[in-house]
Amino acid sequence: MEDWARFFIRTESLAVKSTPPPMPSVWQESADAIDLSPGRPTELSLTRKLPQSVKLSQLRDPDVRAQVMHKFWHHELSAAELMAWAILRFPSAPEKFKKGLAKIARDELRHMKLYENYLLERGYRLGTFPIRDWLWERVQFVESPLQFVALLGIGFEGANLDHAERFERMFRESGDLEAAGIQAQVGREEVPHVRFAAYWFESWTGGLDFSSWREQLPSDLGPNAVQGKVLSKAARQKANLSPNFLHELREWRRS
Ligand SMILES: [Fe+2]
Ligand SMILES: [Fe+2]
């Protein structure tokens, strides 16, 4: 499994990134911590430009929809890579935790395929639009499994629950039911990822509340960066984020 993780992160083959070999079920008994940065296939051009927020009126253009779906494909790739990265970076974390990361990585690979198929069916190949590796830029500096679940799981994947709901609605309103359906499925399947993060946060700290979570975020990235314009309260509560937690998250944004 560890070899697979290293290979998947480092490969510069787009074919392997999008369709890696099946994950082995054999794990090393002990391993040293390894910190890796991702290989990037030449087909993918990197940008430093900040992503723009997209309005409903723009989504009536199929090119803009493809661009958004391509961005989501890259988010799923980054998430899959970062799950593999955490397995290597925190080898002494509980086995159950590491196996959970591998299972989530498999979900992210499946999500990538949904986006990839959508794009290919419409004549857009992977790499048509530039990518910005901002998830990697943020998450690769966490120093513990606790910080990892706080930032990626409760933070970015939590925010993804908000974004998925919003984009599902916007795609539907723009008449693209297939894109809306993919958003609905991904949103549903991301709930257990956030729940997984909340579970481990609680088991390592004895309790998950807004202030204990905020303490684990990087100092230059506060709670506002990891929430959507509208909170998906139902999905977030299904992921075991309490009404109090969500209330304080929202109040933080307001203030
Ligand atoms: Fe995903
Ligand atoms: Fe996820």
Side-chain angles (χ1 to χ4, degrees):
M1 181 58 213
E2 286 82 354
D3 289 344
W4 183 97
R6 199 176 302 122
F7 174 66
F8 174 62
I9 296 168
R10 291 299 299 155
T11 183
E12 292 181 0
S13 154
L14 185 59
V16 175
K17 284 285 184 201
S18 97
T19 316
M23 271 180 207
S25 55
V26 182
W27 293 67
Q28 278 174 19
E29 281 184 14
S30 69
D32 292 328
I34 305 172
D35 191 359
L36 292 177
S37 51
R40 284 286 166 257
T42 50
E43 293 93 331
L44 301 178
S45 63
L46 293 162
T47 177
R48 300 287 305 167
K49 257 175 56 186
L50 286 170
Q52 305 279 316
S53 89
V54 182
K55 293 191 197 79
L56 177 60
S57 57
Q58 296 169 288
L59 283 183
R60 303 204 200 280
D61 179 347
D63 258 348
V64 176
R65 292 202 298 277
Q67 193 172 352
V68 170
M69 295 295 265
H70 190 278
K71 185 165 87 174
F72 293 161
W73 171 81
H74 169 247
H75 289 174
E76 300 288 353
L77 170 65
S78 306
E81 288 171 333
L82 284 162
M83 300 300 161
W85 173 85
I87 287 170
L88 299 175
R89 176 69 177 77
F90 307 116
S92 47
E95 194 184 311
K96 191 175 144 201
F97 173 70
K98 291 193 290 179
K99 288 191 168 157
L101 294 176
K103 185 167 179 283
I104 293 176
R106 279 198 295 274
D107 285 347
E108 313 300 18
L109 289 168
R110 208 161 35 73
H111 293 165
M112 279 167 71
K113 277 286 162 218
L114 298 175
Y115 292 119
E116 182 180 338
N117 291 340
Y118 173 96
L119 290 163
L120 295 181
E121 280 162 16
R122 287 157 182 79
Y124 299 92
R125 46 174 188 76
L126 297 174
T128 301
F129 306 100
I131 56 167
R132 163 136 192 196
D133 268 326
W134 60 271
L135 265 182
W136 268 98
E137 288 165 18
R138 292 300 187 176
V139 180
Q140 67 183 329
F141 297 111
V142 301
E143 284 174 350
S144 65
L146 177 62
Q147 288 181 354
F148 180 79
V149 297
L151 180 60
L152 183 60
I154 302 170
F156 288 123
E157 291 185 292
N160 200 23
L161 300 181
D162 307 338
H163 302 318
E165 205 167 273
R166 178 164 153 261
F167 275 97
E168 181 198 347
R169 195 187 58 244
M170 293 207 301
F171 282 136
R172 200 174 296 284
E173 285 169 16
S174 68
D176 190 336
L177 297 186
E178 192 172 346
I182 292 172
Q183 281 304 288
Q185 179 183 346
V186 169
R188 244 183 352 258
E189 294 181 355
E190 287 295 327
V191 170
H193 299 181
V194 183
R195 196 186 294 134
F196 171 87
Y199 168 84
W200 284 103
F201 190 101
E202 272 193 21
S203 81
W204 286 323
T205 62
L208 167 59
D209 57 40
F210 183 74
S211 60
S212 64
W213 169 67
R214 195 163 59 80
E215 276 167 27
Q216 297 302 329
L217 295 180
S219 55
D220 63 339
L221 187 141
N224 288 348
V226 286
Q227 56 179 310
K229 287 182 179 164
V230 178
L231 280 192
S232 169
K233 285 203 184 129
R236 282 174 173 267
Q237 282 183 31
K238 266 192 221 152
N240 287 346
L241 301 180
S242 70
N244 256 344
F245 181 99
L246 299 180
H247 175 73
E248 289 186 65
L249 180 62
R250 193 63 338 178
E251 285 306 306
W252 186 272
R253 183 181 171 109
R254 286 210 186 96
S255 64

